[in-house]
Amino acid sequence: MTTLAKILVVDDTPHNVKLLADLLTARGYAVTTASGGSEALALIEKECPDLVLLDVVMPQMSGYDVCRKIRENPATAILPVVMVTALDPAQERVKGLEAGADDFLTKPINQPELLARVRSLLRIKKLYDELDTLNRTLESRVNEQVAQLERLGRLKRFVSPQLAEIIVSGGTEDPLKSHRREVTVVFLDLRGFTAFAETAEPEEVMGVIREYHAEMGKLILEHEGTLERFAGDGMMVFFNDPMPVPNPAERAVRMAVAMRERVAGLSVVWRKRGFDLDFGVGIAQGYATIGAIGFEGRLDYGAIGTVTNLASRLCGEARPGQILVSHRVIGAVEDIVQGEPVGELALKGFLKPVPVYNVIGLRA
């Protein structure tokens, strides 16, 4: 509703129209007039008044017919209508209410009563308008949320759930922008997979990969890790980015132990099919450069640095069932892990031998 409420006066008697128009204009209302039903309906559609004062007896189209037309239109279904007539009010009031009128006044008009009812109906109209605005705002927000959830669902197919939520919310600095952060990196792959892939049927290879990825994927999400990439049987997962998490080394080791147990269960099934496969893991902790890697049209969220190389080398050195970790990792999880030193290993890409530890299991 505008600041100046707009009232449409409909009457086929010019004297009555002028009387009501002068009265309402003097009280600060914007007034438009019509001398018949068809003209009134056209003005309602064009001018969108806030209230209609409607004479009952008019040629061609009665006030009742006009009122029914107003109510049939969803856009004017709640437009306040006051019927005005000189006929017997006891009989005409019921007809007016049945036609959809909100109120009824008899001629000659009692001016204080008219103004009081106009004010009352305009207050109700204002409340309806505010409620309609709120509903539209709510509907818009719901649609926006639904669209956001759909975008989030699509993004989660390609990036980690944490990264997808950050991108969609847009509440922080661009997470794809390169940045430095300390992370715990986990490399894992299947032992014997290359030989298996060379001898097995493609359908068998894809079946094993699906089972393996499905089980590992559940554990990555459960421990809030960020999957950087799949590469056949190999996976790289890191912790503490894009969302910082407490105890990233502990999460990484707990996930690796759970994965080892899960793969042990899968291996039983695979051996029954004649597939000799096992599992190895390498874990390291340190600073990495993280962000979008790739080119326009194909970007991955990746981590680069010595820490990723070290985790990869440790994974390569792990024997079936082993979880090899760096000195920093074993130092961070020694209270919850049973570990044993493996010794200092000469790893490709590292000038000095690296002290390595094997995770036997979690302490009770």
Side-chain angles (χ1 to χ4, degrees):
M1 186 186 303
T2 59
T3 303
L4 202 62
K6 187 183 297 182
I7 298 176
L8 172 63
V9 176
V10 186
D11 199 312
D12 63 321
T13 305
H15 173 73
N16 292 339
V17 171
K18 185 175 186 308
L19 180 66
L20 290 172
D22 289 347
L23 173 63
L24 294 168
T25 302
R27 295 298 176 135
Y29 298 108
V31 179
T32 54
T33 63
S35 58
S38 298
E39 183 184 2
L41 293 173
L43 282 173
I44 288 171
E45 185 173 350
K46 180 181 178 183
E47 301 288 340
C48 299
D50 299 303
L51 185 144
V52 178
L53 291 176
L54 183 60
D55 186 25
V56 171
V57 180
M58 295 186 293
Q60 299 179 345
M61 182 180 288
S62 72
Y64 300 137
D65 293 334
V66 175
C67 190
R68 291 189 189 94
K69 291 288 185 184
I70 291 173
R71 292 292 175 253
E72 288 172 2
N73 185 349
T76 57
I78 62 169
L79 175 63
V81 176
V82 179
M83 306 292 291
V84 183
T85 185
L87 299 176
D88 180 4
Q91 296 179 1
E92 300 305 317
R93 185 181 299 275
V94 175
K95 293 181 181 178
L97 294 176
E98 288 180 344
D102 296 283
D103 212 335
F104 203 92
L105 287 172
T106 55
K107 296 177 181 177
I109 295 295
N110 181 307
Q111 294 186 5
E113 181 184 9
L114 167 67
L115 295 173
R117 297 196 177 191
V118 165
R119 285 195 296 270
S120 175
L121 288 170
L122 287 177
R123 280 198 299 271
I124 294 173
K125 173 69 163 45
K126 182 179 180 181
L127 291 175
Y128 270 120
D129 289 344
E130 291 174 351
L131 181 61
D132 183 59
T133 300
L134 290 174
N135 284 335
R136 291 177 187 276
T137 302
L138 179 61
E139 184 178 351
S140 174
R141 291 178 62 183
V142 168
N143 291 335
E144 184 180 334
Q145 289 290 318
V146 169
Q148 190 176 58
L149 288 172
E150 290 175 348
R151 290 198 299 273
L152 184 61
R154 289 195 295 270
L155 272 176
K156 282 181 176 178
R157 296 171 59 189
F158 302 100
V159 301
S160 71
Q162 300 94 324
L163 180 59
E165 289 175 5
I166 290 175
I167 293 173
V168 171
S169 66
T172 61
E173 188 177 351
D174 183 1
L176 300 179
K177 184 179 178 181
S178 294
H179 55 280
R180 294 279 291 175
R181 181 167 291 171
E182 186 177 27
V183 293
T184 303
V185 180
V186 180
F187 263 89
L188 55 133
D189 63 18
L190 292 174
R191 297 294 179 268
F193 184 79
T194 301
F196 162 69
E198 288 176 350
T199 56
E201 295 294 336
E203 292 79 4
E204 294 174 322
V205 174
M206 294 306 295
V208 165
I209 286 293
R210 276 196 296 271
E211 294 169 349
Y212 170 65
H213 285 171
E215 294 301 317
M216 300 303 100
K218 293 175 188 175
L219 294 172
I220 293 169
L221 295 177
E222 182 180 321
H223 291 81
E224 297 183 279
T226 298
L227 175 65
E228 196 220 33
R229 62 173 179 266
F230 291 103
D233 62 316
M235 297 185 200
M236 174 180 161
V237 182
F238 55 85
F239 291 82
N240 206 38
D241 191 273
M243 290 294 291
V245 295
N247 307 317
E250 179 179 337
R251 288 170 184 265
V253 171
R254 287 186 181 278
M255 181 191 72
V257 171
M259 286 176 164
R260 181 169 60 186
E261 293 173 353
R262 199 68 60 89
V263 171
L266 289 172
S267 296
V268 173
V269 178
W270 292 339
R271 277 195 290 273
K272 289 180 180 178
R273 301 178 195 164
F275 312 147
D276 185 16
L277 299 168
D278 213 313
F279 177 71
V281 178
I283 306 175
Q285 182 165 316
Y287 282 88
T289 301
I290 305 170
I293 299 173
F295 51 87
E296 189 65 31
R298 183 63 175 90
L299 294 173
D300 287 329
Y301 191 69
I304 296 174
T306 302
V307 62
T308 60
N309 294 335
L310 179 55
S312 175
R313 300 303 178 202
L314 293 176
C315 179
E317 293 292 331
R319 296 194 302 273
Q322 270 194 325
I323 300 172
L324 297 185
V325 303
S326 67
H327 186 76
R328 288 190 63 179
V329 172
I330 198 68
V333 299
E334 59 184 357
D335 292 339
I336 64 160
V337 163
Q338 291 180 312
E340 60 182 4
V342 174
E344 295 189 344
L345 301 183
L347 302 176
K348 184 180 179 181
F350 291 84
L351 295 176
K352 297 180 180 179
V354 177
V356 179
Y357 301 83
N358 177 40
V359 174
I360 299 172
L362 301 175
R363 296 184 187 278

